[in-house]
Amino acid sequence: MAADEKAQAKTEQAKGKIKEVAGRTVGNERLTAEGRTDQAKGDARQAKEKVKDALTD
């Protein structure tokens, strides 16, 4: 997995988790949903990179 793509995926996942927790804490459903979306984007990016790695090995 390319180091920069891996870092981006982890950053997106962490950012999403923070947003989700913050949204739950203050009762903001929109922020919670945004957090889940960011996490899903990070997961998708990570999965894409894993597939690329598997194909090149």
Side-chain angles (χ1 to χ4, degrees):
M1 184 181 297
D4 59 330
E5 288 289 325
K6 184 177 182 180
Q8 276 186 317
K10 291 290 183 185
T11 301
E12 251 176 3
Q13 290 169 332
K15 184 175 91 174
K17 188 66 176 171
I18 291 168
K19 275 186 177 179
E20 182 181 3
V21 170
R24 274 197 211 139
T25 301
V26 297
N28 186 332
E29 285 297 318
R30 190 179 119 250
L31 189 59
T32 303
E34 283 179 18
R36 287 188 195 132
T37 301
D38 287 346
Q39 287 180 65
K41 285 180 188 177
D43 291 344
R45 184 185 304 264
Q46 190 172 35
K48 177 186 80 168
E49 289 302 311
K50 285 183 180 181
V51 167
K52 284 174 36 180
D53 284 348
L55 294 176
T56 58
D57 285 345

